[in-house]
Amino acid sequence: MTQVQRSPTPRLSRQRRYRRLLFGSIGAGVLASLALRFLDYPVLGEAVYWLGIVAALVVWRGTDVALFDERDRSLERRASQLTMTVAAVVLVLGASAARLGATLGLFEVSPFLSGALYGYVGLFGLFALCYLWVRART
Amino acid sequence: MKNGLRTRREAADLSQGELAEAVGVTRQTINAIERERYDPSLELAFKLAAHFDCRVEDLFDPELDADLTA
C-alpha cells in the first residue's frame, strides 16, 4: 500500500525541532569547547561548554511540548539496564584480575586502571542510592 | 503484542503522524507498536482504544494462555 506523504503535525514538528535544539546545543557546546581548548583558549572553551549546557536546559525545561514519550523512556530504561550489566561484568572481572595480578606479582595495577575500577564501584554505589530513593517514593 | 492498530489507522485514513499527534506520542512509537516491537503502556493503550472508539482488547491481543482467560 502506498503511504501518502503528509506534512508533519504541529506538535510533532515542534517536538522534533526542540529535540534537535536540545541535542544540538550540547553537541555544539562540546565541539566548540574542544576546538577552543585545542586553540589554547581553555577558559573561553569552558564558558562555551556551559553555554551549550544551559541552552539545552532552557530548551528542555522551557517548552510545553513533551520532548520524550513513553517509548523513549522505555528505551532509556533498557539501555540503562544494559549499561549496568556491562559495567557489572567489567567490574567483577576487572577487579578480580587486578587483585589476582597484584597478589601474584604478575603486574602492577596502574593508578589509571585502579581509578577506573573505583569509578565503577562509585557508579554502583550511586545506583544503590538512586534505587533506594526511587523505591521509597514508589 | 499482536494488535490491529495499522488496520484501524488505515481504515480511518490516518497517517502515523496524525495518530501520534492525536494520542500524544511520537510517530516512531506508533510505528513500533504497529510492528509489534513495542508494547504500549496501559494509558496509551486506553487512549488508542478511545480514539478508535473500541475496547482495548479489540485493539490488542495479549495471546494469554487459555487457562488465564477462562
Side-chain angles (χ1 to χ4, degrees):
Chain A
M1 183 176 211
T2 308
Q3 284 283 344
V4 180
Q5 192 66 39
R6 305 179 200 201
S7 59
T9 48
R11 183 185 60 81
L12 291 181
S13 72
R14 279 179 70 203
Q15 183 189 57
R16 197 171 303 129
R17 187 164 64 243
Y18 287 134
R19 280 172 72 141
R20 280 182 188 152
L21 261 175
L22 176 77
F23 294 120
S25 300
I26 296 172
V30 169
L31 288 178
S33 166
L34 287 173
L36 286 166
R37 279 164 60 188
F38 180 73
L39 295 170
D40 215 14
Y41 293 102
V43 177
L44 188 60
E46 208 61 32
V48 171
Y49 167 79
W50 273 104
L51 195 65
I53 298 294
V54 170
L57 283 174
V58 168
V59 172
W60 180 39
R61 305 304 299 178
T63 175
D64 57 340
V65 176
L67 299 182
F68 304 98
D69 72 357
E70 62 172 57
R71 181 170 159 272
D72 293 315
R73 287 188 287 276
S74 169
L75 292 174
E76 277 177 27
R77 197 162 47 242
R78 286 166 59 189
S80 301
Q81 287 168 346
L82 184 60
T83 303
M84 293 306 284
T85 303
V86 171
V89 170
V90 169
L91 179 60
V92 167
L93 295 180
S96 177
R99 281 193 303 266
L100 207 58
T103 305
L104 297 177
L106 298 174
F107 55 83
E108 199 155 313
V109 181
S110 70
F112 175 78
L113 183 62
S114 178
L117 290 173
Y118 277 112
Y120 277 118
V121 172
L123 177 68
F124 279 98
L126 180 62
F127 174 79
L129 286 176
C130 291
Y131 181 87
L132 291 173
W133 187 71
V134 171
R135 193 178 69 174
R137 291 168 59 93
T138 305
Chain B
M1 192 187 296
K2 286 194 179 302
N3 66 78
L5 189 59
R6 180 184 293 271
T7 309
R8 287 188 183 261
R9 177 179 61 74
E10 288 176 349
D13 194 27
L14 285 171
S15 68
Q16 289 183 340
E18 286 165 335
L19 179 57
E21 177 79 39
V23 295
V25 294
T26 61
R27 187 194 61 75
Q28 288 84 351
T29 297
I30 298 296
N31 184 47
I33 296 170
E34 287 186 355
R35 291 167 61 206
E36 297 170 12
R37 296 185 63 141
Y38 173 67
D39 291 338
S41 66
L42 261 181
E43 185 186 358
L44 179 55
F46 274 106
K47 273 187 189 175
L48 288 164
H51 185 81
F52 291 113
D53 196 21
C54 65
R55 297 177 307 166
V56 171
E57 53 266 47
D58 295 333
L59 204 49
F60 295 96
D61 177 12
E63 299 177 289
L64 295 176
D65 293 338
D67 55 337
L68 285 174
T69 53

